[in-house]
Amino acid sequence: MSTTIGSFIAGGIAACGAVTVTHSFETVKIRLQLQGELQTKRDAPKLYRGVLHGVRVIYHNEGMKGLLRGLSCAYIYQMTLNGCRLGFYDPIRTHLNALALNRDLSSSHDSAVKAYQSLPINIASGATSGILGAAAGSPFFLVKTRLQSFSPFLPVGTQHNYTTAWDGLSKIYSAEGVRGLYRGIGPAMIRTGFGSSVQLPTYFLAKRQLQKHTSLAEGPALHLLSSACSGIVVCIVMHPPDTVMSRMYNQTGNLYSGAFDCLYRTVKTEGLLAVYKGFFAHLARILPHTILTLSLAEQTMRVMRRFEESALGIPDKLKGA
Ligand SMILES: *[C@@H]1O[C@H](CO)[C@@H](O)[C@H](O)[C@H]1NC(C)=O
Ligand SMILES: *[C@@H]1O[C@H](CO)[C@@H](O)[C@H](O)[C@H]1NC(C)=O
């Protein structure tokens, strides 16, 4: 295993690589989610008619720049999320292990406590560290959402004309303070919590079922299919709070009193399926993201391991697990 800093950098590079490839779909998703907000189906404008139409229209009018708006925020968000996952996962897990084994909390450094493996505890630790990361990264996601919904040609959503991520952050801070920066943090945490908690169980479930019902053996094909199944379920579970989040991020506190108000009024005026607006764009982002993160992580981890061994001379034995 490589060191923690090594895994942070390697995981971060992998996540940013995946984000770069799928960012266009994220832009389309956000515009689809905001389009026709609180309007009945009949009155709602349909500037963007779906994933491919959205990509085409944005590329045609705004070029690559339009599709990649907010990319730097997406990188910072990924690094924050990734850092929190790596930094909090182990401490949370060992503390929960100590509780489960009926041991003193101060025993969380014991090797028996560290070595204890329980799937529910691992999932809970993964979800909790993801939720903490989502909370920490929420201001970047907020600015990202506003940058991505800005369009000089076919605008949906309140148009915040920020020149850069930094410009966005400082404008929000000076107008609304810290409160403004953390707008929408609730649905952001729920969304990531939902996603992180179903990812592993569905992955293992899909893998078991595939092994039972097909002749696939342990290997890349099985991993790919299982992670695709897991990605679909993650998207189904994550999308409704994601839509609420995009809408909470678009407003500036004047439209909804909270996330549940947003959900209620969205469903009431636009129908139940409104929470699934932009679903296919989201799926188009999540599926390759999952697959790319997994396969790129393999590569970057290997490079990082080699770099640490040759350049820093850290032998494998000293690095711990
Ligand atoms: C956004 O701001 C830029 C520069 O500040 C300006 O040139 C442009 O016209 C603005 N666009 C819109 C749609 O407000
Ligand atoms: C975005 O938020 C503003 C309030 O800040 C609201 O007026 C608008 O309807 C919302 N939705 C869209 C699609 O602009």
Side-chain angles (χ1 to χ4, degrees):
M1 278 308 272
S2 50
T3 59
T4 308
I5 294 179
S7 348
F8 172 71
I9 298 173
I13 293 173
C16 289
V19 160
T20 311
V21 177
T22 57
H23 194 75
S24 309
F25 296 126
E26 179 78 1
T27 305
V28 175
K29 182 204 79 180
I30 285 171
R31 296 188 186 185
L32 286 170
Q33 286 175 322
L34 290 175
Q35 162 169 278
E37 183 173 12
L38 298 187
Q39 289 171 310
T40 52
K41 258 206 194 82
R42 202 155 17 89
D43 302 331
K46 273 203 161 250
L47 303 176
Y48 302 98
R49 286 200 297 267
V51 192
L52 295 179
H53 179 255
V55 171
R56 214 167 43 233
V57 164
I58 297 175
Y59 181 74
H60 179 76
N61 288 325
E62 302 166 51
M64 223 37 220
K65 182 166 166 268
L67 287 169
L68 295 184
R69 283 182 207 281
L71 187 60
S72 64
C73 270
Y75 287 159
I76 304 173
Y77 177 79
Q78 281 302 328
M79 295 305 272
T80 312
L81 190 64
N82 184 37
C84 286
R85 282 201 165 129
L86 273 171
F88 291 123
Y89 179 79
D90 242 18
I92 295 175
R93 193 179 76 85
T94 47
H95 276 91
L96 290 177
N97 279 352
L99 281 179
L101 297 172
N102 257 326
R103 302 275 286 274
D104 204 301
L105 278 187
S106 58
S107 71
S108 60
H109 293 294
D110 290 3
S111 51
V113 174
K114 269 190 181 306
Y116 180 66
Q117 292 292 344
S118 140
L119 188 60
I121 288 187
N122 293 353
I123 291 168
S125 315
T128 313
S129 50
I131 290 170
L132 289 173
S138 183
F140 302 111
F141 215 118
L142 167 76
V143 174
K144 179 177 91 63
T145 303
R146 293 182 178 181
L147 285 167
Q148 287 178 294
S149 66
F150 176 81
S151 165
F153 292 91
L154 292 174
V156 291
T158 299
Q159 298 291 291
H160 301 271
N161 195 354
Y162 304 139
T163 50
T164 58
W166 179 247
D167 177 54
L169 288 172
S170 55
K171 272 187 184 149
I172 297 172
Y173 180 72
S174 54
E176 305 169 72
V178 176
R179 214 188 128 89
L181 287 176
Y182 282 96
R183 202 173 283 300
I185 190 175
M189 289 163 77
I190 293 174
R191 160 192 182 275
T192 305
F194 276 17
S196 318
S197 40
V198 297
Q199 189 166 37
L200 274 184
T202 50
Y203 178 79
F204 290 127
L205 184 70
K207 199 168 147 189
R208 230 185 359 252
Q209 293 300 320
L210 282 168
Q211 277 173 319
K212 206 161 105 188
H213 298 290
T214 67
S215 56
L216 278 173
E218 187 73 40
L222 180 65
H223 299 166
L224 205 85
L225 267 179
S226 319
S227 52
C229 293
S230 160
I232 292 172
V233 181
V234 167
C235 196
I236 291 174
V237 174
M238 215 162 114
H239 197 77
D242 189 86
T243 302
V244 171
M245 180 187 73
S246 293
R247 293 175 168 206
M248 295 292 286
Y249 279 160
N250 156 70
Q251 60 137 11
T252 43
N254 47 359
L255 191 58
Y256 301 115
S257 60
F260 287 102
D261 181 42
C262 175
L263 181 64
Y264 175 75
R265 283 166 60 194
T266 295
V267 171
K268 197 166 158 238
T269 39
E270 300 164 60
L272 196 58
L273 279 182
V275 293
Y276 278 106
K277 279 186 176 176
F279 176 77
F280 290 106
H282 200 178
L283 196 61
R285 187 185 75 82
I286 281 190
L287 279 188
H289 186 94
T290 315
I291 293 164
L292 276 169
T293 312
L294 289 175
S295 48
L296 279 176
E298 290 284 345
Q299 306 302 317
T300 50
M301 287 287 181
R302 198 162 45 213
V303 172
M304 188 56 68
R305 235 171 358 242
R306 211 174 297 148
F307 171 76
E308 281 175 350
E309 276 156 20
S310 62
L312 308 176
I314 309 175
D316 251 353
K317 282 197 283 298
L318 294 181
K319 289 178 196 160

